[in-house]
Amino acid sequence: MHQLRAPVSVQGRMITGGLTAAALFFALYVFFNLTVVGQSLENGWAWKYEVFDTVGYWLHQHDLPPIAHDRATIAVGTLLAIGIAAVSRDWRTVAWVAIATPGAVLASEGFKMVFGRPLLIDSRDDAVSYPSGHAVIVLAVSAALIVVVPKGWARWVVPALGVWMALATSAIVVIGNHRPSEIIGAALLTIAVFTLTGTVAHSSFLRLRMSSGTRHPVATEAPSEDAAPRAWTLVGLVALIAVAGIVAAWGALPWVTAIDGATGAVASLLVLRVMSEVRLRIADIPQNRTVGVEQRASPAGETIRS
C-alpha cells in the first residue's frame, strides 16, 4: 500500500507555518489598528525627529530598491527567481515563485483596500497602510531568491539579501512612510503566502507523480550536513543584519533608531529563517524524489514493501 508519510509531514508543517503566520498577521492588525492602545504606541512619537538627517533618508535619495523603482524591483526579482528555477528545470518551484512573489504584493494591496484603520487617536499619521507594500516587495523578492538560489551560492547570497531587507525595511520606517507593525506585518504576510503557495505547488506535483504510477525513493526530511549552518555563522548573520537595520535608522532619536533598526532586522530574520527552513524541507527535494512505497525491515533483515 502506498504511503505518503514524508510529504504529508512536510506539507503539514508548511500549512501549520502558513496559517500561524496568517493568524499573527491578523492579530497584529487588530491590535495596532483597531485599538486605542495600539495606535497610541506607534503614533505617539511620530514626527518627533528630523527625517532628513537619517541614513534611511539618504538611502531613499539614492534610490535603494524598492524604496525607489518598486515596480521594477518586483518585476525583475520575480523574473530572476523564475529564471534561476527554470535553469535547474525545477518546474514546481518555477510555478511556486511565479505565483507567490507577485501574489504577496497583490495580497498586501488587497488587504489595505478591504481592511481600514479607524481614527481612534489624534495624530498626524492616520494613513491606512497595514501592511507596508514596499516592505512586502523586498521581502517577497528575497524569499523567492532564497528558495531558488543554488546551494553553492547560498552562503554569499543569503547574507546579501538579509542586509538588503534590513536596510530597506528600517529605512521605510525611519523616513516616516510606515509604522513598525506594518513592517512586521509585511514579513508575516510574505511568509504566509509563500508557505501556503508552496504547499499547493508541492501537493500538485506530488499528485501528478502519483497518478503517473512512478515509484520513487522516500524523501528524507533531515537536512544534509553541508546545509546545516554552523552556530558561529548564524551568530554572524544575525549580527550583520542587526547592524544593517541600525545603520539604516541612524540619525533619528536614539530610542527611535533602536526600535526602527530592530524592526527591520526582525522582519528580515523572520523571512530568512522561515524561507531557509522551507528551502531545506521542500525546495531542495528534487522533483523526481516524491514518495514511493513504504519500506520496512523484516526480522531477517530483508526489505519488505507494503
Side-chain angles (χ1 to χ4, degrees), residues 52 61 122 150 178 183 187 224 235 251 265:
F52 305 105
Q61 290 295 99
D122 183 17
H178 284 280
I183 303 300
S224 65
V235 172

Side-chain angles (χ1 to χ4, degrees), residues 14-283:
M14 293 276 284
I15 293 173
T16 300
L19 293 179
T20 300
L24 291 173
F25 171 81
F26 277 101
L28 215 62
Y29 164 75
V30 169
F31 179 74
F32 284 104
N33 289 268
L34 304 184
T35 69
V36 173
V37 174
Q39 287 194 11
S40 299
L41 284 174
E42 292 192 307
N43 287 36
W45 52 268
W47 315 105
K48 301 291 186 181
Y49 58 93
E50 186 55 70
V51 170
F52 305 105
D53 293 336
T54 64
V55 174
Y57 184 76
W58 182 88
L59 293 171
H60 171 65
Q61 290 295 99
H62 288 78
D63 296 336
L64 175 70
I67 303 177
H69 312 298
D70 51 345
R71 293 183 180 180
T73 302
I74 188 65
V76 172
T78 303
L79 292 175
L80 180 59
I82 291 173
I84 294 173
V87 167
S88 60
R89 303 179 65 84
D90 187 352
W91 308 120
R92 175 192 60 198
T93 304
V94 168
W96 182 4
V97 298
I99 296 171
T101 313
V105 178
L106 293 174
S108 170
E109 296 305 312
F111 188 88
K112 283 185 283 192
M113 292 176 61
V114 175
F115 295 89
R117 179 184 174 90
L119 282 174
L120 302 179
I121 63 172
D122 183 17
S123 173
R124 290 178 58 185
D125 186 9
D126 59 357
V128 178
S129 52
Y130 181 92
S132 166
H134 285 87
V136 169
I137 291 175
V138 63
L139 297 172
V141 169
S142 297
L145 293 175
I146 291 169
V147 168
V148 303
V149 67
K151 284 185 178 181
W153 297 3
R155 68 179 61 185
W156 309 109
V157 173
V158 169
L161 291 172
V163 169
W164 178 42
M165 286 190 287
L167 287 174
T169 52
S170 291
I172 289 169
V173 183
V174 81
I175 64 178
N177 282 6
H178 284 280
R179 310 172 184 93
S181 67
E182 294 162 4
I183 303 300
I184 303 300
L188 293 170
L189 179 63
T190 300
I191 290 169
V193 170
F194 267 83
T195 50
L196 295 175
T197 306
T199 303
V200 173
H202 182 267
S203 301
S204 299
F205 276 84
L206 176 61
R207 288 193 203 92
L208 289 174
R209 291 286 179 177
M210 292 293 295
S211 63
S212 67
T214 307
R215 295 185 175 184
H216 303 283
V218 176
T220 177
E221 294 184 16
S224 65
E225 187 175 333
D226 293 339
R230 297 171 182 260
W232 64 266
T233 304
L234 290 176
V235 172
L237 181 60
V238 171
L240 179 66
I241 293 173
V243 168
I246 293 295
V247 167
W250 197 263
L253 297 173
W255 59 274
V256 174
T257 297
I259 292 174
D260 292 355
T263 297
V266 168
S268 305
L269 288 168
L270 271 174
V271 172
L272 277 181
R273 176 67 182 88
V274 174
M275 296 315 300
S276 295
E277 180 70 15
V278 167
R279 172 190 172 91
L280 289 176
R281 302 292 182 180
I282 296 293

